[in-house]
Amino acid sequence: MNSKEQPTTQPPTASAAAAEAACLGAAAALAFGGLAFAAGRLTQWRLDQRRYDQWGREWDQVGPQWRRKTT
């Protein structure tokens, strides 16, 4: 009983506490890994979009020179 005369539960055993800590640690590692992966994919997508836009601008300049000339 605690100071307010309310029943309390027993603290977890050492092995139960270790198992809970391992599960929470694994979940935190997976969450962090997922966030890092998502940030990498977002960065790669944004860089690809920028590169495609640059290629489009360059093609607008060079493309007309590649047309066949008819004589």
Side-chain angles (χ1 to χ4, degrees):
M1 300 241 178
N2 62 18
S3 62
K4 294 183 180 183
E5 299 297 323
Q6 300 290 327
T8 59
T9 60
Q10 292 182 350
T13 63
S15 61
E20 182 178 357
C23 288
L24 291 175
L30 286 172
F32 180 75
L35 286 174
F37 178 76
R41 293 293 295 161
L42 180 63
T43 302
Q44 181 180 8
W45 175 81
R46 183 62 192 118
L47 290 171
D48 286 344
Q49 293 302 313
R50 184 182 297 179
R51 186 172 27 247
Y52 295 150
D53 290 344
Q54 183 179 359
W55 285 344
R57 287 190 302 271
E58 290 174 2
W59 183 252
D60 289 341
Q61 294 173 358
V62 176
Q65 298 172 8
W66 284 36
R67 290 191 181 132
R68 287 187 177 201
K69 293 181 180 179
T70 57
T71 58

